[in-house]
Amino acid sequence: MSAIWGIVALSPDASVPEHSAQLFESTYKKSCKIDRYESVSATDALFGCGIQYITKEAEQEQLPFRHPERGLLFTADCLLDNRTELIDLLSTHGYNKTELTEAPDGTLMYYSYLTFGSDCVTHFRGLFSFAVWEEHTHTLTLFSDHTSARSLYYIKQNGLLAFSTRTEPLLKLFPNVTPNINYQKDFLLANASVIYVFPGETPYNEISLMTPATRLTLSADKTIPFTYWAPGSAPQKKCRSAKKYSKHFLELYDNCVRDALRTSGEVGISMSSGLDSTSVGVLAARELAKKGKMLHSYTFVPYYPVTPPSHTSYIYDESGLVQEIAERYPNIKTTFLNNRGKNPFADVKLCSNILEIPYKAGTFPNHYEICTHGADRGCKVFLNGAFGNRSVSFGDIHNILYDLDCKKKRLSTLVLIHRYAKHERISRKKMLSRTRQSFRGFRAHMQDPFLRFIPENIFLRRTILEDYNIRERFSGNPYALFSGGYIDHETFLQQLNPASLFMYLGVYETQFGLRTGMVLRDPTKDTRLLDFCCHLPFSMYAHYGMPRWLIRSAFAPLLPASVLEPWSRHSFLNMDRMQRIKRDWTSIKPELIRHLSSGLLDAYIDKERVDAFIEAFAAMKEDCSVPMSSLSALEGLLCFLLPE
């Protein structure tokens, strides 16, 4: 993998600044763990690359490439999953197969561009972003991978165009950028899993982020985007029975995980007790065991003991279930971390500076601690299953029932309820009545959800909606604003291609990876799995009334029954944060007051309500539910104030 950057002069009266190479390289050296830096100049252009030695081939990487005869400059940030297929393809176009076998991934991509031009991107599978400068046409073309797993920012200003894996050098080259007010409001109003409501936008008006599966051609007077892939576009094998679907799914999933393990270093995983990361973990452990390698597993656990209520399906401490999995797979080496008991506010500045965007998920400091421990142990690939709830482990019974109800398939609805109720030992009559009533209420609410909108963040003022079209901003993705509810099959297909979430996850994976010297990988959003999920009959996700049937049926022989049941169990991280914050409140309080009094957010927040909450917090009980959401709201506000 790499960090890539470049700057080109698109207009005749513009020129590449002489200090560009030094500026880019020094900026990356300050914040990234990179093994080697290279840069190449051409007419009106400079390209650079900071190479990480993730694989043995990467040590021989020659990026950037220059082709003087064609007037071409090429650089890439890449880790290919289909090297074998690509080598076979290139060998039929005159390249020596033996030499290709030892070639780095960037070289294979460069040869592919020379051979197929811009269409080369359709032959790649894996993680990548790359750039091509054509001197004769003064055109720069940027490419992103299918799910934006590798971030790439760009800015076009004053006849110059620059791109970079991180925004920091772009801000130094173009210091006159202005804040994107709509982005700020999007962030504050959207739910916790959403950062990019308008895909491509960033906190700065002039800087854009490459959207998924995009080829972007830029010249002095034109910007031409082209989307080269969408989930479901690849034909799929049709199976004749549920059992065969399950078998095919497991084989496909196994291939996706196997391809993600290519590295010359160790492999780690951020593993909870949920079905997403555990399914990735056991498949990885089986494959690594064949090579005599360990899988280094890291799990966040509470610093203070927390006992969940007996009526809840959440699990607060996952160490027991993770240990049970490790007992079945001896090459899984478990480590349990708790960010040394630090309070959630302690690392807001650190994580915001790494990500270069504000964030709401208070677990990012935990993820960063996990990544640094993995890197210290020699991990070069670090796995997770963050997208799994939308792909491999999808299957809440109520979504399947909602789809049947929308399509007025009464008999199928009754049959599914009968099977589910029998399995769960609940009343069929009561379930039928409650689900239909709930569906009616949900439809009524979603007919015009923007009409009665009230921000979830209790500290926001209603005036935040002035000079801001919330209906326009969120119309393409209302679930970014209104969390919860039901989805039918059509909405499910849309959610398998969520540009906003892909870009959010891509920023996290790219920036944490650059910081720690690893590549973060999520096989649950592999394009092959996304294509499979698009074509799978919707009823299969809760086949025969069994929620999350696809993953539970496939992994029944591979995971302990305690992990597979109950199906509705969810992890709840940071449940002890109230204790940690209360412990440190005397030092946290003055810092909160100081930052929130800066005036930067006065146009958005109800300062009196914020002050009242801060003053009353010390007396609040730890089991009070209101402070939890309020603390999350405060963390989101601080992300605007603390980064440098």
Side-chain angles (χ1 to χ4, degrees):
M1 301 307 297
S2 316
I4 60 172
W5 58 84
I7 184 168
V8 302
L10 294 176
S11 60
D13 56 343
S15 60
V16 174
E18 293 183 0
H19 68 292
S20 298
Q22 190 274 333
L23 183 149
F24 276 113
E25 191 168 316
S26 63
T27 304
Y28 277 96
K29 283 182 177 179
K30 184 181 70 173
S31 59
C32 299
K33 189 175 180 180
I34 288 174
D35 295 294
R36 176 164 49 92
Y37 292 87
E38 303 287 350
S39 61
V40 174
S41 296
T43 304
D44 294 328
L46 167 80
F47 275 18
C49 187
I51 301 166
Q52 294 177 313
Y53 295 159
I54 303 300
T55 65
K56 63 181 180 64
E57 294 88 0
E59 298 180 25
Q60 308 304 319
E61 196 68 86
Q62 298 298 308
L63 295 165
F65 283 101
R66 187 184 181 195
H67 196 301
E69 293 77 15
R70 287 185 54 171
L72 183 149
L73 201 58
F74 177 99
T75 193
D77 170 11
C78 56
L79 182 59
L80 294 174
D81 291 341
N82 63 331
R83 279 179 57 89
T84 302
E85 297 93 322
L86 197 57
I87 288 170
D88 289 341
L89 177 64
L90 289 171
S91 66
T92 65
H93 287 76
Y95 293 94
N96 184 290
K97 190 168 185 178
T98 302
E99 295 179 359
L100 291 176
T101 302
E102 300 177 356
D105 291 6
T107 301
L108 296 179
M109 292 182 71
Y110 175 61
Y111 290 163
S112 297
Y113 184 84
L114 295 179
T115 305
F116 305 109
S118 293
D119 289 338
C120 68
V121 71
T122 62
H123 298 295
F124 301 150
R125 189 178 71 245
L127 317 181
F128 58 83
S129 61
F130 64 104
V132 182
W133 169 245
E134 299 277 3
E135 294 178 9
H136 304 312
T137 60
H138 260 60
T139 299
L140 179 74
T141 306
L142 302 176
F143 300 81
S144 62
D145 65 39
H146 302 73
T147 61
S148 283
R150 300 301 295 180
S151 299
L152 187 62
Y153 297 91
Y154 63 95
I155 180 172
K156 186 177 179 182
Q157 195 176 85
N158 302 324
L160 294 172
L161 195 153
F163 63 90
S164 173
T165 307
R166 286 184 59 81
T167 60
E168 186 178 359
L170 301 182
L171 294 172
K172 291 182 177 180
L173 281 168
F174 302 91
N176 296 323
V177 297
T178 56
N180 184 345
I181 303 302
N182 279 337
Y183 177 96
Q184 293 181 4
K185 293 184 176 183
D186 293 345
F187 170 80
L188 292 171
L189 292 167
N191 65 49
S193 65
V194 177
I195 299 299
Y196 295 103
V197 172
F198 260 43
E201 292 192 12
T202 74
Y204 311 98
N205 284 317
E206 296 80 4
I207 298 178
S208 300
L209 176 62
M210 286 290 288
T211 53
T214 297
R215 181 185 74 210
L216 187 67
T217 305
L218 304 113
S219 59
D221 57 348
K222 292 182 180 180
T223 299
I224 305 173
F226 174 76
T227 302
Y228 63 83
W229 174 85
S233 56
Q236 292 292 302
K237 173 183 177 182
K238 289 186 178 181
C239 301
R240 295 183 178 181
S241 67
K243 184 177 180 180
K244 289 184 178 181
Y245 269 120
S246 180
K247 180 181 178 182
H248 176 56
F249 163 69
L250 182 58
E251 292 172 351
L252 182 62
Y253 198 179
D254 199 24
N255 289 336
C256 295
V257 173
R258 183 185 302 116
D259 288 345
L261 300 178
R262 185 166 70 94
T263 180
S264 56
E266 297 295 309
V267 178
I269 184 171
S270 176
M271 193 162 78
S272 68
S273 63
L275 293 178
D276 308 313
S277 60
T278 56
S279 58
V280 172
V282 299
L283 293 178
R286 293 199 313 172
E287 186 64 25
L288 291 170
K290 298 175 185 177
K291 304 173 184 178
K293 295 185 67 173
M294 302 293 295
L295 175 64
H296 302 277
S297 166
Y298 297 88
T299 305
F300 179 76
V301 295
Y303 184 75
Y304 293 106
V306 180
T307 303
S310 58
H311 63 275
T312 185
S313 60
Y314 287 111
I315 180 169
Y316 299 161
D317 185 344
E318 304 180 273
S319 56
L321 290 172
V322 171
Q323 286 282 28
E324 193 173 343
I325 295 169
E327 289 173 5
R328 183 176 289 199
Y329 299 90
N331 67 322
I332 295 180
K333 181 177 178 59
T334 59
T335 300
F336 301 99
L337 301 170
N338 51 38
N339 206 20
R340 300 181 298 282
K342 290 192 289 184
N343 71 73
F345 294 111
D347 291 326
V348 169
K349 183 175 181 178
L350 170 67
C351 290
S352 293
N353 283 331
I354 295 173
L355 294 169
E356 299 185 308
I357 56 174
Y359 69 89
K360 301 172 187 174
T363 58
F364 271 122
N366 309 332
H367 291 312
Y368 182 63
E369 183 199 26
I370 283 172
C371 288
T372 55
H373 272 259
D376 290 344
R377 196 168 281 172
C379 294
K380 291 291 186 179
V381 165
F382 208 77
L383 305 170
N384 68 81
F387 196 74
N389 281 333
R390 293 186 178 224
S391 58
V392 299
S393 69
F394 181 82
D396 187 322
I397 190 75
H398 296 93
N399 288 319
I400 314 304
L401 289 170
Y402 180 69
D403 180 70
L404 293 173
D405 193 66
C406 289
K407 294 178 169 59
K408 301 188 185 304
K409 295 186 177 181
R410 309 298 187 198
L411 181 59
S412 297
T413 300
L414 291 172
V415 170
L416 190 60
I417 284 179
H418 169 75
R419 290 171 174 170
Y420 173 74
K422 184 177 180 180
H423 178 72
E424 297 291 323
R425 297 180 179 179
I426 59 177
S427 167
R428 291 167 289 179
K429 184 177 180 180
K430 287 183 179 179
M431 182 178 176
L432 178 61
S433 175
R434 289 172 181 172
T435 53
R436 284 183 173 173
Q437 183 178 359
S438 181
F439 293 162
R440 284 194 296 270
F442 175 71
R443 289 194 189 96
H445 175 72
M446 293 303 289
Q447 280 183 351
D448 193 350
F450 304 102
L451 189 62
R452 299 174 299 276
F453 172 72
I454 298 176
E456 290 185 7
N457 186 329
I458 66 169
F459 299 130
L460 296 180
R461 299 168 56 187
R462 294 286 293 181
T463 52
I464 193 174
L465 299 175
E466 295 176 358
D467 300 320
Y468 174 82
N469 192 330
I470 191 171
R471 189 183 299 272
E472 177 184 302
R473 298 294 291 181
F474 285 86
S475 61
N477 186 16
Y479 285 86
L481 194 64
F482 308 99
S483 55
Y486 308 105
I487 63 173
D488 58 14
H489 190 199
E490 288 69 26
T491 306
F492 166 73
L493 295 177
Q494 294 172 13
Q495 294 201 0
L496 278 175
N497 190 23
S500 299
L501 183 55
F502 279 154
M503 295 165 72
Y504 181 24
L505 294 173
V507 168
Y508 155 62
E509 292 169 359
T510 301
Q511 304 307 335
F512 273 41
L514 286 175
R515 182 77 171 207
T516 57
M518 303 188 297
V519 56
L520 275 61
R521 302 214 54 175
D522 181 2
T524 68
K525 57 185 174 77
D526 188 291
T527 56
R528 291 166 289 182
L529 282 175
L530 297 180
D531 281 328
F532 170 83
C533 289
C534 278
H535 289 278
L536 184 71
F538 200 49
S539 61
M540 286 292 171
Y541 288 104
H543 179 62
Y544 217 78
M546 180 188 289
R548 306 177 83 177
W549 171 84
L550 183 65
I551 196 165
R552 291 168 72 197
S553 65
F555 281 84
L558 304 179
L559 285 170
S562 55
V563 175
L564 294 169
E565 301 285 352
W567 70 270
S568 58
R569 183 178 56 230
H570 294 282
S571 305
F572 200 117
L573 300 182
N574 266 1
M575 197 58 193
D576 65 335
R577 63 177 172 172
M578 282 283 285
Q579 289 117 303
R580 289 180 277 138
I581 291 172
K582 279 186 171 292
R583 179 199 63 201
D584 301 339
W585 187 244
T586 55
S587 59
I588 292 173
K589 180 180 175 179
E591 287 296 299
L592 280 176
I593 293 174
R594 182 169 67 88
H595 290 299
L596 291 170
S597 299
S598 65
L600 294 177
L601 289 175
D602 284 358
Y604 301 151
I605 63 174
D606 184 334
K607 190 67 167 49
E608 291 184 1
R609 177 173 284 188
V610 174
D611 291 343
F613 173 80
I614 291 175
E615 288 300 324
F617 177 75
M620 294 178 182
K621 295 180 179 180
E622 292 181 358
D623 60 354
C624 180
S625 61
V626 175
M628 297 295 283
S629 59
S630 301
L631 288 170
S632 297
L634 280 180
E635 289 177 49
L637 297 180
L638 283 178
C639 283
F640 278 107
L641 303 174
L642 294 181
E644 297 174 348

